[in-house]
Amino acid sequence: MAYDSHNVFSKILRKEIPCQPFYEDDFVLSFSDLNPLAPVHLLIIPKNNYISFDDFSEKASSEELAGFFSAIGKIAKKANVSQSGYRLITNHGEDAHQEVPHFHVHLLAGKPLGSILES
Ligand code: AMP
């Protein structure tokens, strides 16, 4: 599957459409989700083009991989949720209902989220 640069997050990175930015560095952009599912609902995306977690983990440089994960930790602290707790989610493909085919991590916090591991 080839990366499709018409997706909405690619447009946000090119500043063709606006976002509500929360954090930015050399490797990532983080902004508020348009349809928040929790009081804190941030999206964290790499600045380079990857479709999914496996695409990112296969193709990104060590520097990018480290930069991405380190940024998530900084973002949790900046959002003031590292004490109260948060959930990270990444969806890929039809089965997981991935809507935007640019790799992203959701950070959800600010209310009890319930267990997603119960059957
Ligand atoms: P996913 O289902 O994991 O691909 O999630 C995509 C997320 O992107 C959804 O939670 C949408 O609400 C969110 N989203 C779509 N368009 C925008 C946008 N223009 N700005 C911010 N978030 C968006």
Side-chain angles (χ1 to χ4, degrees):
M1 192 203 288
Y3 181 84
D4 176 6
S5 60
H6 292 101
N7 75 73
V8 69
F9 295 169
S10 187
K11 290 178 183 171
I12 286 174
L13 283 169
R14 291 195 298 270
K15 302 195 189 307
E16 290 170 11
I17 60 170
C19 70
Q20 210 178 322
F22 181 75
Y23 173 91
E24 183 169 11
D25 65 21
D26 289 347
F27 301 103
V28 313
L29 176 64
S30 175
F31 49 92
S32 300
D33 195 291
L34 204 56
N35 300 299
L37 299 177
V40 178
H41 188 168
L42 296 166
L43 297 167
I44 301 135
I45 68 173
K47 286 192 167 173
N48 286 329
N49 297 341
Y50 305 103
I51 300 168
S52 63
F53 185 89
D54 58 274
D55 192 36
F56 178 62
S57 66
E58 184 188 338
K59 294 178 187 156
S61 67
S62 305
E63 205 185 8
E64 267 181 294
L65 290 166
F68 188 79
F69 287 104
S70 142
I72 293 177
K74 289 179 193 159
I75 288 162
K77 285 194 174 150
K78 186 177 177 191
N80 211 20
V81 297
S82 50
Q83 294 299 318
S84 51
Y86 55 89
R87 176 172 291 154
L88 302 175
I89 298 172
T90 185
N91 297 312
H92 174 51
E94 271 180 46
D95 281 359
H97 297 278
Q98 181 182 15
E99 182 187 316
V100 182
H102 180 111
F103 170 53
H104 53 280
V105 169
H106 298 252
L107 187 152
L108 296 157
K111 69 169 189 180
L113 294 164
S115 174
I116 55 167
L117 299 179
E118 286 168 8
S119 58

